[in-house]
Amino acid sequence: MSERQDEDDAARQDEPPDGAPDGAMAAVAAGQPGAGQPGAGPPEGAATAAGTAGHGGGAAAGELASEAAGEAASGAARGAARGAARGAAPETVLQGAGEAVPGEPGARTRAGARAWTRDGGETPVNGGPPAGESGLRRQAAVALVLLGVVILAVTAFTTPWHVLTGGPPDPARDFTAAQIARAEAFDAATSLPSYLSLALTIVFAGLLLATPLGARAVGWLKGPWWLRVILGVVVITAIVELVRWPLGVWFETIMRDYGLSTQDWAGWAGDRLKNLGVEVFLLCVMLTALVALARKVRRWWIPAAVGAFALTVVASFVYPVVFEPMFNDFTSMPQGALRTKLLDMAERDGVPVEDVLVADASRRTTALNAYVSGFGATRRIVVYDTLLRAPQPEVELVVAHELGHAKYDDVLHGTLIGGLGAGLGAIALFLVFTPVRRRTGVTSITDPRAVCALVGLATVGSLLVGPFQNVVSRHIEARADVHALDLTKDPATFIAMQKRLAVTNISDLSPNAVEYVLYASHPSSPERIAMARSWAELNGVPVP
């Protein structure tokens, strides 16, 4: 779930779901506006001696190994002498096998590994497991398990697992044959670009993690390490976006054909580029901080986990006031009967709401939507201006649903779980990066070329956790639906509202199992309607 709880994410507005948020958002998606929206090796010609020995074999390999061992021994002796001259013995920490990065601290080694010292010096050491590495990995593994237990406990405690459900969903009971056919046609039209986008995400992640292509793509960059990290993020993101851009155009064309998009191409491209800019910015912040920690701290996964948690919380808190205004203009709902009714309903519900905001969504879509984002001082309830065209009782029910998210602190809990998950990812990164490093050909996580592998790992992580996030999100959305019914006691209007949302947004009325697992952060419209009828039966209200 993200920090933004959408009333209906089935509109699938901006682009085909990718199976993972693009770029930087993958790292904070769990704490981002809720389950609402559906974003390597050495440079060529620089072969390491270890690689030569692995493929060349015979006497040449033996000579290289002997030579490298001698270089390593003398290098270690020189490092120890320098440390003794300074009055302290250098503590070496193995950093990785292969060739040191030109321009980075440390010597070029032809076999074995390179290591760095606490005082910032770096000495090549002979091959073999570094002293203390297994102990560090055991510590990280224990921390991973403990934090995983904490996440499971928090998720179990904050998720309403036993929420009211209805009988088997029956689209034919509430929707006409023409409406069902239109929803099926739209789903068929968007499925191909959606699955192609997902496939591209998986392929790119595989290339970044299993081959040196990513490192080669950014290996030509020059400058200090931090600049190369930033430029590496920009280059790899630009390559991925160039390949995916035609799919976005295809999906936007479908949205226009079905009347869901009102944007011109300049507006669409501007929104997409702004979204990409936000993702690149967040990703640069995360990876630059990560590499800086790895260069300075032996147990870098500890401060990295703390930093990932903090970044998720901060991003969730500032998202409504920093990032949302980049895409929409927000105004207070005009004075009138609707505004008064909504604020009175919030007061009756015991949810402090300073204002209800209206987003100018009609300049890009005809879809209906509302959401709650932020927490504490930045919490806000937002409705699309397109929703205000619906009958007032239906608008009240939509806002009552959002009040349910606010009342149960769904955004805050989602942010907490997302932050803990980001910390878990930082620890897991420490444990899995060694085999990834070997396949991609980078010397260590401090190698600026490693940003490609880090992006690939973040993508894989988001793909893996996405279905679990959707399970939690669907339960939370169902609880908000029940809350709306408890507050309004009007199942007939609830069902009318769900039908309007489904028809206007062309929601998938019968999602197949794969799409439901991968993309469904909300129950389907027929499921929500069936739940409302069950609520009516339980509360002695006429069943609509």
Side-chain angles (χ1 to χ4, degrees):
M1 122 201 56
S2 66
E3 86 190 41
R4 172 174 176 169
Q5 303 291 346
D6 289 334
E7 175 59 28
D8 185 8
D9 66 334
R12 294 167 288 184
Q13 291 180 49
D14 292 323
E15 59 180 295
D18 300 319
D22 294 351
M25 305 309 288
V28 295
Q32 274 288 10
Q37 298 296 333
E44 292 181 295
T48 64
T52 305
H55 295 284
E63 292 170 1
L64 283 171
S66 299
E67 179 185 359
E71 291 176 358
S74 61
R78 289 192 299 272
R82 287 195 300 269
R86 287 190 292 266
E91 177 184 359
T92 59
V93 181
L94 188 72
Q95 196 68 11
E99 178 186 8
V101 182
E104 295 295 315
R108 180 183 298 269
T109 64
R110 302 170 75 182
R114 71 184 178 91
W116 53 270
T117 59
R118 288 288 183 180
D119 60 5
E122 190 174 273
T123 60
V125 297
N126 198 13
E133 181 186 3
S134 59
L136 288 177
R137 295 180 66 82
R138 281 195 300 270
Q139 294 172 16
V142 170
L144 186 77
V145 172
L146 292 177
L147 186 54
V149 171
V150 171
I151 293 174
L152 290 176
V154 173
T155 303
F157 180 76
T158 60
T159 303
W161 299 109
H162 303 290
V163 69
L164 178 65
T165 58
D170 181 13
R173 179 174 178 179
D174 298 288
F175 299 93
T176 66
Q179 290 169 342
I180 294 173
R182 186 167 186 259
E184 291 175 347
F186 180 73
D187 180 64
T190 55
S191 288
L192 183 55
S194 296
Y195 283 126
L196 284 176
S197 184
L198 176 60
L200 276 178
T201 299
I202 296 172
V203 169
F204 271 116
L207 291 175
L208 294 177
L209 293 176
T211 75
L213 291 177
R216 289 173 180 170
V218 300
W220 55 273
L221 299 172
K222 305 298 182 182
W225 69 265
W226 56 267
L227 180 60
R228 293 168 63 194
V229 168
I230 294 173
L231 293 178
V233 170
V234 173
V235 168
I236 200 65
T237 303
I239 292 172
V240 173
E241 184 61 22
L242 284 174
V243 175
R244 290 181 50 203
W245 192 275
L247 286 177
V249 172
W250 183 4
F251 197 89
E252 172 66 11
T253 301
I254 296 172
M255 300 289 284
R256 295 182 181 197
D257 290 342
Y258 279 84
L260 282 173
S261 176
T262 60
Q263 281 187 299
D264 57 24
W265 285 110
W268 174 83
D271 278 351
R272 192 176 180 98
L273 291 175
K274 283 189 290 186
N275 184 66
L276 196 65
V278 171
E279 294 170 357
V280 169
F281 169 76
L282 291 174
L283 191 56
C284 287
V285 170
M286 289 187 292
L287 295 189
T288 303
L290 177 65
V291 174
L293 288 171
R295 291 168 62 88
K296 296 293 184 182
V297 183
R298 187 179 187 189
R299 294 176 177 84
W300 57 262
W301 49 271
I302 298 176
V306 175
F309 177 86
L311 178 62
T312 302
V313 173
V314 170
S316 180
F317 182 77
V318 305
Y319 186 87
V321 295
V322 175
F323 296 114
E324 286 184 2
M326 295 174 61
F327 299 92
N328 285 103
D329 292 329
F330 298 90
T331 57
S332 294
M333 182 174 287
Q335 296 290 339
L338 177 59
R339 176 186 171 88
T340 301
K341 188 71 175 290
L342 295 180
L343 293 178
D344 288 346
M345 183 171 60
E347 184 177 359
R348 187 172 75 251
D349 197 26
V351 178
V353 174
E354 294 293 332
D355 200 1
V356 178
L357 300 181
V358 178
D360 62 339
S362 59
R363 65 187 178 88
R364 67 167 55 89
T365 183
T366 60
L368 310 178
N369 204 0
Y371 63 89
V372 59
S373 63
F375 58 89
T378 64
R379 183 168 65 189
R380 51 171 34 173
I381 292 177
V382 178
V383 299
Y384 280 14
D385 56 357
T386 53
L387 183 63
L388 299 182
R389 303 166 187 168
Q392 179 172 319
E394 295 183 21
V395 178
E396 293 171 12
L397 255 161
V398 171
V399 174
H401 171 99
E402 302 307 328
L403 288 174
H405 288 310
K407 188 177 185 68
Y408 292 106
D409 289 322
D410 290 338
V411 172
L412 180 60
H413 293 153
T415 299
L416 176 61
I417 295 171
L420 292 173
L424 187 78
I427 301 173
L429 178 62
F430 177 83
L431 294 172
V432 305
F433 192 77
T434 296
V436 171
R437 174 187 60 76
R438 295 191 186 112
R439 287 186 171 274
T440 57
V442 298
T443 56
S444 75
I445 201 168
T446 62
D447 185 342
R449 296 173 301 158
V451 296
C452 299
L454 295 175
V455 171
L457 286 170
T459 301
V460 170
S462 63
L463 283 171
L464 293 176
V465 303
F468 298 101
Q469 290 178 331
N470 287 337
V471 169
V472 172
S473 180
R474 286 195 294 268
H475 283 81
I476 289 174
E477 295 297 334
R479 178 176 63 186
D481 283 345
V482 173
H483 179 84
L485 288 167
D486 290 339
L487 190 58
T488 63
K489 304 189 185 323
D490 191 355
T493 300
F494 181 93
I495 291 175
M497 177 263 293
Q498 289 296 332
K499 292 170 65 175
R500 181 183 300 274
L501 288 173
V503 171
T504 303
N505 298 352
I506 322 181
S507 302
D508 192 349
L509 302 177
S510 301
N512 63 49
V514 173
E515 292 177 345
Y516 198 74
V517 169
L518 291 178
Y519 306 132
S521 60
H522 293 57
S524 68
S525 297
E527 286 177 319
R528 302 170 90 169
I529 290 172
M531 183 279 297
R533 292 195 170 105
S534 293
W535 185 94
E537 292 175 354
L538 289 174
N539 289 272
V541 177
V543 178

